[in-house]
Amino acid sequence: MVKKTAIILIFIISLQFLAFIPAAASSHFGNIAASSAILAEKGTGIVLFDKNMHQRHPADSLTKVMTLLLAAQAIENDEISDNELIEITDAAWHDIDGSSTTQGISPGSVMTFIDLMYAAFVGSSNEACNMIALRLAGNIKSFVDIMNNNAAELGLADTNFVNPHGQHHSNQYTTAYDMYVLYSEASKSVLFNEISSTYRHVTERSEETDSRNLVSTNSLLNQNGIYFYRYCNSGIASITYEGGHSLVAAAEEEGLSLISVVLGAKAIINDDESVNLQHFTETHRLFLWGYQNFGWREILKTTDLLARVPVLHGSGADSVNVRPEEPLTLLLDNSIPSESFIFNITIFSEVRNSPLVAPIEAGDKLGEVIITFNGVEYAKIALVANTNIELNGIEFMRRQISDILSTPLARNIIIVLIIIVAIYAALVIRYNIMRINRLRRIRDAKNEIIRERHEDFRD
């Protein structure tokens, strides 16, 4: 196999890293005041920072991410109308104790389904979550089964749900990584994004129900608050005695979308008796660090000509340039020089030790390039012909004849043909000599007869 190595000089966006791939990083975040945490790019699985990201932790109110996702999907799949009126029943308060977060939605009142969703996520209402479960699945247990089935389909191996709202239960748990994957999936829903990005929502007033002023538990969205972070666009917080302070949040800046999950932080009382809610401050720190130290950089463009491949029988050209079939980007630490990346180029015709022969069409796959960094393979991209190479007919025929004549069999056939031609020529020559001699004898005989007649006439 013939491989050529080149240094990466430029980059382009087109990542297809669906697998969980760590980013090429050198910056160090340091310690984080939480039991576990993760900071990762939203759509690719690229991790910028993690601490115990697979360690199980109480799910608590972060459970509401799954509940809201299933409710949003039900509306988007036309299984229910967002304005459907839902009458609150006693079952809405099933298994909810005094420590639960509620909005005091009393049985007999009526709310639209969409307001129940806002109450559940923005207002962190446990009874609203129960009503969503009852409406979508008929009973809470069936809805919890749907939650767990959906978690399994998403590959959340360390997540289990017991209820739809997150009141603490010893068997209801998740991990920072699983919650990242879930939130990344949920963010694909337009309705989920609309609700999860809302800091304040006022529900509709009806004869049966007063309007409610709902305020998000995610203080990063509060423009007037001390924890406001302008690039944060959604999230939900959880506070319990058992699980501590937790927060899942998303942010976007200059085309880079990040999701942060902080589990098991604390509330710290400062010397001035102010309170530092670490799930907000640590999430803020993670986002600032991520955007200050990482960004997309072009690594390959489809216009980059990476190698020139010899071509036989080409009309007006004896080689063709190859380029990447598709572009590529990597999410990189800003301190990493582009020269650290290596191109390993393989040309198929060189591997086969068989010359490339015209005609060649632009887009034909002629090789591949593997991009590596510190020995880790980050992408494998096909290399295709950049232009068409037409077939030269005369040259093709000449080469074909030359190739044929160069074989031992062809040489033997030619020798036999030469011998046959020589024998044939010898026979023709012999025949002609014999014919000439015969004609000469006939001529001599005629002349002898004429001479004898001439002598007899004189006598």
Side-chain angles (χ1 to χ4, degrees), residues 82-346:
D82 58 349
N83 289 318
E84 180 178 320
L85 295 177
I86 307 296
E87 182 178 353
I88 309 304
T89 66
D90 290 335
W93 290 87
H94 170 73
D95 199 29
I96 293 178
D97 61 30
S99 65
S100 293
T101 305
T102 70
Q103 287 294 327
I105 307 174
S106 59
S109 59
V110 176
M111 295 180 67
T112 62
F113 189 75
I114 192 71
D115 272 347
L116 278 175
M117 293 170 64
Y118 276 101
F121 199 86
V122 178
S124 196
S125 166
N126 286 6
E127 73 272 30
C129 292
N130 275 347
M131 279 310 306
I132 290 172
L134 291 166
R135 173 58 185 86
L136 294 181
N139 60 77
I140 292 175
K141 181 181 182 305
S142 295
F143 187 78
V144 171
D145 289 341
I146 295 173
M147 295 171 70
N148 285 319
N149 288 338
N150 200 45
E153 290 176 0
L154 292 174
L156 310 185
D158 293 298
T159 294
N160 187 66
F161 298 111
V162 175
N163 60 58
H165 42 69
Q167 179 172 292
H168 181 77
H169 190 287
S170 60
N171 200 36
Q172 182 145 299
Y173 52 82
T174 188
T175 66
Y177 171 68
D178 280 6
M179 187 51 59
Y180 155 73
V181 174
L182 175 58
Y183 208 83
S184 179
E185 177 67 20
S187 297
K188 297 176 183 177
S189 165
V190 174
L191 183 54
F192 179 93
N193 288 331
E194 178 183 322
I195 295 174
S196 64
S197 64
T198 301
Y199 179 69
R200 191 180 299 275
H201 177 78
V202 179
T203 64
E204 291 185 14
R205 178 185 178 87
S206 68
E207 293 181 1
E208 298 85 358
T209 308
D210 292 334
S211 63
R212 283 178 171 77
N213 186 20
L214 306 172
V215 178
S216 174
T217 59
N218 178 15
S219 294
L220 296 183
L221 297 174
N222 183 7
Q223 297 184 19
N224 299 316
I226 60 174
Y227 299 113
F228 176 65
Y229 179 57
R230 62 173 177 161
Y231 296 114
C232 180
N233 53 36
S234 70
I236 186 171
S238 171
I239 300 176
T240 66
Y241 174 79
E242 298 84 357
H245 293 59
S246 301
L247 174 66
V248 54
E252 182 171 359
E253 180 182 356
E254 297 182 356
L256 177 56
S257 298
L258 300 178
I259 291 176
S260 166
V261 182
V262 172
L263 303 178
K266 297 179 180 180
I268 304 298
I269 300 177
N270 300 318
D271 293 338
D272 60 0
E273 296 187 354
S274 62
V275 179
N276 174 16
L277 300 179
Q278 291 182 327
H279 56 316
F280 295 130
T281 56
E282 295 301 82
T283 297
H284 199 159
R285 285 182 60 219
L286 277 174
F287 281 139
L288 287 176
W289 174 80
Y291 287 117
Q292 288 172 357
N293 290 281
F294 293 86
W296 295 110
R297 270 192 277 164
E298 296 176 331
I299 190 170
L300 276 180
K301 294 190 290 188
T302 56
T303 55
D304 292 338
L305 304 179
L306 300 185
R308 195 166 184 86
V309 184
V311 178
L312 297 179
H313 314 319
S315 178
D318 59 3
S319 62
V320 62
N321 286 312
V322 292
R323 61 171 182 80
E325 185 178 33
E326 53 190 34
L328 173 70
T329 60
L330 293 176
L331 182 56
L332 301 176
D333 189 302
N334 296 332
S335 66
I336 294 177
S338 298
E339 292 78 9
S340 299
F341 287 82
I342 294 180
F343 287 172
N344 292 313
I345 297 174
T346 299

